[in-house]
Structure formats: C-alpha cells, structure tokens
Amino acid sequence: MDDTFFATAAEAVDFDDRVALGLLLELHPAPLTIDELGRELHWQTYRAEDAVNRLAGVGLVNRQQALAFAARAAVRSHALAVV
C-alpha cells in the first residue's frame, strides 16, 4: 500500500479508513463519488470502495449509490476533537 510500511494488515486498513474519512470531512458537505475519492487519493477504485464500505458499516460515512459523504456523527466528532 503506497510507500508506507505497516506492521500488520489491520494497520494498513486503519490508515486507509483514516485517510478516506479525513478527505470526506475536509470536503464536507460536498459528496464524492467512489471514483473521485480514489482519484483524489491516487488509489485504485477498489481501495476507495473498500474504505467507504468499512466506514459506512460503522456509521461514519453515508453512501447513496456511487456517492459518499461524511455522516453527521463523524462531522460532529471531528468538530469536537479540533480545538
């Protein structure tokens, strides 16, 4: 996964989720298609889709067909964490 070394596959997955969510939060409230997310991050589409699916599964991203955007809970949590 890129040039970054990860000791475990779980660390690599967490990295992808963090990066994808970070971009969606940065662009909030604008949605991105999965293809756009992949292009912005210089990832193959499957990698972006996997990250969005994981984040949607835990309620941090909302997905409407090909569009993905940060969920309200993620936006609020991010706002509270940034001081």
Side-chain angles (χ1 to χ4, degrees):
M1 311 198 109
D2 299 329
D3 295 332
T4 308
F5 173 77
F6 298 100
T8 66
E11 287 178 358
V13 166
D14 287 348
F15 173 82
D16 283 0
D17 291 355
R18 248 189 322 276
V19 171
L21 182 59
L23 181 59
L24 291 171
L25 286 166
E26 181 181 320
L27 298 175
H28 179 77
L32 286 178
T33 66
I34 302 302
D35 288 338
E36 290 170 335
L37 181 64
R39 277 194 303 274
E40 286 290 322
L41 298 173
H42 305 283
W43 291 353
Q44 293 183 4
T45 302
Y46 78 88
R47 187 173 171 190
E49 186 156 18
D50 287 350
V52 167
N53 286 338
R54 285 189 300 269
L55 293 166
V58 295
L60 294 175
V61 166
N62 291 322
R63 188 166 181 188
Q64 292 181 346
Q65 296 168 359
L67 293 176
F69 53 97
R72 288 175 41 189
V75 173
R76 181 65 177 142
S77 176
H78 181 69
L80 291 172
V82 177
V83 248

